[in-house]
Amino acid sequence: MMTKNADYLPTLANRYASQLQLCDPRNPITSSLARSVHAHMISSGFKPRGHIINRLIDIYCKSLNLVYARKLFDEIPQPDIVARTTLIAAYSASDNVKLAREMFNKTPLKKRDTVFYNAMITAYSHNSNGHAAIELFRDMRRDDVKPDNFTFTSVLSALALIVEEEKQCMQMHCTVVKSGTGLFTSVLNALISVYVKCVSSPFVSSRSLMGAARRVFDEMPERDELSWTTMMTGYVKNDYLDAAREFLDGMSENVGVAWNALISGYVHRELYQEALEMFRKMLMLGIQLDEFTYTTVISACANSGLFRLGKQVHAYLLRTEAKRTPEFSLPVNNALVTLYWKCGKVNEARDIFNQMPERDLVSWNAILSAYVSAGLIDEAKSLFEAMRERNLLSWTVMISGLAQNGYGEEGLKLFSQMRLEGFKPCDYAFAGAITSCAGLGALENGRQLHAQLVHSGYDSSLSAGNALITMYARCGVVEAANCVFNTMPNVDSVSWNAMIAALGQHGNGARAIELYEQMLKEGILPDRITFLTVLSACNHAGLVKEGRRYFETMHGPYGIPPGEDHYARFIDLLCRAGKFSEAKDVIDSLPFKPSAPIWEALLSGCRIHGNIDLGIQAAEQLFQLMPHHAGTYVLLSNMYANLGRWDDAARVRKSMRDRGVKKEPGCSWIEVDNKVHVFLVDDTAHPEAQAVYKYLEQLVLEMRKLGYVPDTKFVLHDMESDQKEYALSTHSEKLAVAFGLMKLPGGATVRVLKNLRICGDCHNAFKFMSKVVGREIVVRDGKRFHHFRDGKCSCGDYW
């Protein structure tokens, strides 16, 4: 009986072992078979030996049943080193280094071997704890456990995470040579990676380290694809693109990953032509293209505006890549969506998005960016609401889109909602919210966001700093804008442009020009936006000579052809100064047919100087180009009214009504105690309207004592004199300023925003008002800022 049982047990053990050998831990069906075999062992009373137990632990670990594996391990009286090593590797794979180290520490020193140490070193390396991996390697050597090639591969990978000094590379290189593992390709690949990673350290000579990496590569007895790729990636990441190209030309085999790396490097440096040339060579040499190749090349086409070429790549892809895996299709389709929307083809981008068999968050963010960039905010909002998952980028794109398209209030609400849902805003999200404040003129809200920005550690952000300059400038606090500009650690052309524009809008034309000249001295080249801001600054300050000179230098020294917007601002500058002959010559010599902005500039100048004949010509052109634009009718009607030609003024207004054109109602608003108060002309809806009128009445009496007389020529309707004076007193900007004077603390600056151009009488009244109350009054109208102090305006009455 004993002999029969002794013969039976080995047979049963072999059967269990062979069954477990068939189990694939990555396959749910066969891994469940392992549990069945294990259950049969327990029910039959079979006591498995170490190799079967180890196989079960291995299967449970690899199928992520770590609880089963640990329970089985804990039941072993004396687990061997194989079981311990298997669990350490499993804990490492599940990112639980703490449990792996506990297992390591509980293992007696005499049981530890090279493989065991390798498992723990690899655990640290894979979980980005380079210092712990290096320290454990030192312990291993002190414990007289001999490292092998796998040890050095893991240790070198760990060193690459933390390496900062050249001597660290050299010391480890010497250790590898002494160990005799310097002939293994995997070890040498890892050593090259250490040299390459150390190049980015500020404490080393990058050229000498790249040279050392190259010597290791050249002396390798055998190279694999990783060898070529690691070396190429090193050249590319450290911006040695010429050396990378030379290295690629000398390659003995065509490794697609290396080609992809160089193409990616060119795209990162915005060398799109070079990237596309490499792509063509890949096609000619028949090198296999993969998803990385296509996404990089499509991105190059998108960023360089080469839509036709991008479309050709798309067509080639459809023709040659018939069987596309999800791993291939998803990133490539995401790149195609971006290509089409960046080239202005939003509908085509949506078609690709709709046809994608699989989408991820990148896909949704790409199509969301498409609608936002095209200004299709309603569509963007619908898409945003339909997103099942959002990340910080999704929120930031939507907030910025709302802010930049005039939906500031919604942008701020969305910013608050984002924070309520647990997302910590990045600097770009802050920039979007701050831009919303700029559009709304919400100064106090903007100041709060500035404080939160500093508290979050984003005060050195370039995008947020640029948004702050614009916000403070558009809220009437140009000094704060200048302070932000002066304290920014880094500035770019956008920063300079924003500050030049801020000074110009506030009537500081001379300072704006000084800043522009300083920008040139610091080696910052102007772009087309710079010249727009400089011309506007000259325009607001009446600096005709300077504006003419800057306009002429655009095409000359800087090679920037003036666009329609530049011509419009230059013509506006000339017309405001009354130089109609020169303005007409510029219009006659335009390289394109004059469009609406050109004629608007001419009409605006004619209104200022009462040039009715030329104004009528400009208005007739605008009636043809924009028959439903209210501004033309209003300006022409006002010109007639100023000249007392009431019948002509009435005829223009009738024509306006007959064509169904509606004038935008004038309104002004002011922020008091974090609440925005809006006033219309002759407003009675505001709860404190009557108190405002009473206060304004008393204020006007004081102003009259200083010589203020209502200028009734700005009443553009034919009525009695006393009616005209009453009409002037009910203008929205006067009501808003009076409310501010009533409600704000004594001495506080009153800041009012108006959607239309300030009227001449209000402008004159605010000069007297500022003297009577001894306070600064700031009014932002549709064109610029006016700072009223002690009876004077910053515009010098040139507006």
Side-chain angles (χ1 to χ4, degrees), residues 199 204-212 240:
V199 171
V204 302
S205 167
S206 58
R207 287 193 177 277
S208 65
L209 281 186
M210 282 306 300
Y240 293 121

Side-chain angles (χ1 to χ4, degrees), residues 698-727:
Q698 296 170 349
L699 204 56
V700 170
L701 289 175
E702 295 298 318
M703 289 157 56
R704 284 181 181 272
K705 293 177 183 178
L706 295 179
Y708 168 66
V709 177
D711 194 342
T712 56
K713 75 177 181 182
F714 290 103
V715 177
L716 303 172
H717 295 275
D718 192 12
M719 57 178 68
E720 296 298 323
S721 178
D722 57 340
Q723 292 177 309
K724 287 184 177 183
E725 289 193 17
Y726 175 78

Side-chain angles (χ1 to χ4, degrees), residues 64-85:
L64 303 180
N65 289 318
L66 293 184
V67 175
Y68 276 38
R70 185 57 189 259
K71 188 173 185 299
L72 183 57
F73 177 87
D74 289 340
E75 291 173 356
I76 306 171
Q78 292 185 332
D80 61 16
I81 197 65
V82 176
R84 296 172 185 273
T85 305

Side-chain angles (χ1 to χ4, degrees), residues 29-40:
I29 297 174
T30 57
S31 64
S32 65
L33 174 61
R35 290 197 297 273
S36 300
V37 173
H38 188 191
H40 194 274

Side-chain angles (χ1 to χ4, degrees), residues 643-657:
L643 295 172
R645 294 170 58 172
W646 301 111
D647 291 341
D648 289 326
R651 177 176 52 79
V652 173
R653 290 198 297 273
K654 182 178 183 303
S655 174
M656 184 178 175
R657 288 193 300 272

Side-chain angles (χ1 to χ4, degrees), residues 446-590:
R447 281 174 169 159
Q448 290 171 15
L449 287 170
H450 189 178
Q452 293 166 19
L453 181 82
V454 173
H455 181 72
S456 301
Y458 294 127
D459 47 318
S460 61
S461 165
L462 186 59
S463 60
N466 291 340
L468 282 170
I469 292 171
T470 302
M471 184 275 292
Y472 280 121
R474 295 197 67 189
C475 290
V477 196
V478 71
E479 297 83 4
N482 195 44
C483 182
V484 171
F485 177 78
N486 289 331
T487 55
M488 285 173 68
N490 297 297
V491 292
D492 60 4
S493 60
V494 177
S495 319
W496 289 94
N497 292 345
M499 196 62 230
I500 293 168
L503 292 170
Q505 287 173 344
H506 287 265
N508 299 319
R511 284 179 62 194
I513 288 174
E514 286 175 12
L515 192 64
Y516 170 71
E517 296 294 344
Q518 183 185 338
M519 170 184 165
L520 298 182
K521 287 176 183 176
E522 296 198 15
I524 307 292
L525 289 176
D527 55 22
R528 66 182 316 276
I529 303 299
T530 311
F531 282 105
L532 282 174
T533 60
V534 170
L535 287 170
S536 292
C538 293
N539 194 353
H540 290 315
L543 302 173
V544 179
K545 181 181 176 182
E546 293 83 352
R548 185 187 293 111
R549 177 163 58 87
Y550 291 127
F551 182 79
E552 290 169 354
T553 59
M554 278 187 68
H555 201 49
Y558 299 108
I560 301 173
E564 180 184 308
D565 44 4
H566 296 99
Y567 276 106
R569 295 195 187 189
F570 182 50
I571 290 166
D572 195 24
L573 170 68
L574 295 173
C575 292
R576 282 180 180 274
K579 298 184 178 298
F580 293 106
S581 177
E582 187 177 348
K584 198 70 172 64
D585 289 342
V586 173
I587 293 173
D588 292 339
S589 64
L590 286 174

Side-chain angles (χ1 to χ4, degrees), residues 132 151 202 219 346 376 437 745:
T151 313
E219 293 168 5
V346 178
L376 301 171
C437 294

